[in-house]
Amino acid sequence: MEERQEPELSLSCQNFNGHFSQATHALLTSCTRKEVVGCFSHFEPETQEYLYKVYALVGAQIRENVIAEFNSICSEHQVFEVLDHVSDRALITATEAGDHIHPEKVVKEVAVRRKLQEMDEVKRKLGLAQEENDSLEAQLKVLRLEMDKARDQGSDNALYKKIQNANIELFKLLD
């Protein structure tokens, strides 16, 4: 199986990952060795040590799984890209204004900007579709005029059929 190459993370994203990893580690290792062994006080000391090692291994595996899932969710929702943008924007805003940075405001600004970009892309695609539609309608109008002209002139049946077939093709395209 081919391993997917992850792009290099910026320093702010690496810090973000590191802090999450530390928080997860702190959460999973909040119990001291003495507290864990105390939970198994009715076992022999050797068994208590073994159970602590199992506890530590399970905790490490849970931590790995949580961090992997965290990274997956961050990738899926483009958190690292947004974080880079927010960091850049916050730095620019702080430099320009000399004010305290409000992360909520910056995140909302980024979200609004992304939605506006999406709307612009949809409008662009709609404009292209409209141009294509207009072009097809113009071609259809020309073909109808040619067909009417051919009928009026009593021209041969071959030209009439050719125009009629082209007309049918255009109707199919419009549907």
Side-chain angles (χ1 to χ4, degrees):
M1 188 164 83
E2 205 174 293
E3 191 172 319
R4 199 173 83 187
Q5 188 75 15
E6 291 293 326
E8 180 109 8
L9 295 177
S10 68
L11 184 59
S12 63
C13 291
Q14 289 174 7
N15 287 339
F16 182 64
N17 263 355
H19 292 303
F20 181 80
S21 180
Q22 288 174 349
T24 304
H25 179 74
L27 178 67
L28 293 172
T29 59
S30 61
C31 292
T32 65
R33 178 186 206 103
K34 186 177 179 181
E35 290 172 322
V36 172
V37 170
C39 292
F40 303 110
S41 60
H42 57 282
F43 289 99
E44 296 291 323
E46 293 167 356
T47 306
Q48 289 175 348
E49 273 305 305
Y50 175 76
L51 290 171
Y52 177 76
K53 287 179 184 176
V54 169
Y55 167 80
L57 288 172
V58 168
Q61 188 62 51
I62 290 172
R63 181 173 179 250
E64 285 179 28
N65 292 345
V66 167
I67 290 172
E69 184 65 19
F70 172 77
N71 287 333
S72 172
I73 290 170
C74 286
S75 293
E76 181 181 332
H77 295 286
Q78 300 175 335
V79 170
F80 298 127
E81 291 85 351
V82 171
L83 181 62
D84 284 340
H85 184 76
V86 167
S87 297
D88 294 345
R89 186 69 188 145
L91 184 60
I92 291 168
T93 303
T95 304
E96 289 173 352
D99 293 335
H100 177 69
I101 301 170
H102 297 285
E104 298 86 16
K105 184 178 179 181
V106 175
V107 170
K108 286 179 185 177
E109 182 180 320
V110 169
V112 167
R113 186 177 300 120
R114 281 188 182 255
K115 286 296 177 191
L116 289 173
Q117 288 171 345
E118 288 175 14
M119 287 173 51
D120 289 342
E121 180 64 17
V122 169
K123 286 178 186 176
R124 185 188 68 77
K125 288 179 180 179
L126 183 62
L128 291 174
Q130 186 62 43
E131 286 174 12
E132 185 178 344
N133 190 31
D134 292 344
S135 172
L136 289 173
E137 285 180 3
Q139 289 175 10
L140 182 61
K141 185 176 181 179
V142 167
L143 287 173
R144 284 184 179 149
L145 289 173
E146 287 178 12
M147 197 165 89
D148 290 343
K149 185 178 176 182
R151 240 188 266 147
D152 290 344
Q153 292 178 351
S155 65
D156 63 311
N157 226 2
L159 178 61
Y160 178 76
K161 286 192 182 234
K162 181 179 175 185
I163 293 172
Q164 192 175 19
N165 287 338
N167 201 6
I168 290 170
E169 289 298 317
L170 274 175
F171 278 122
K172 287 179 184 175
L173 287 173
L174 289 174
D175 286 340

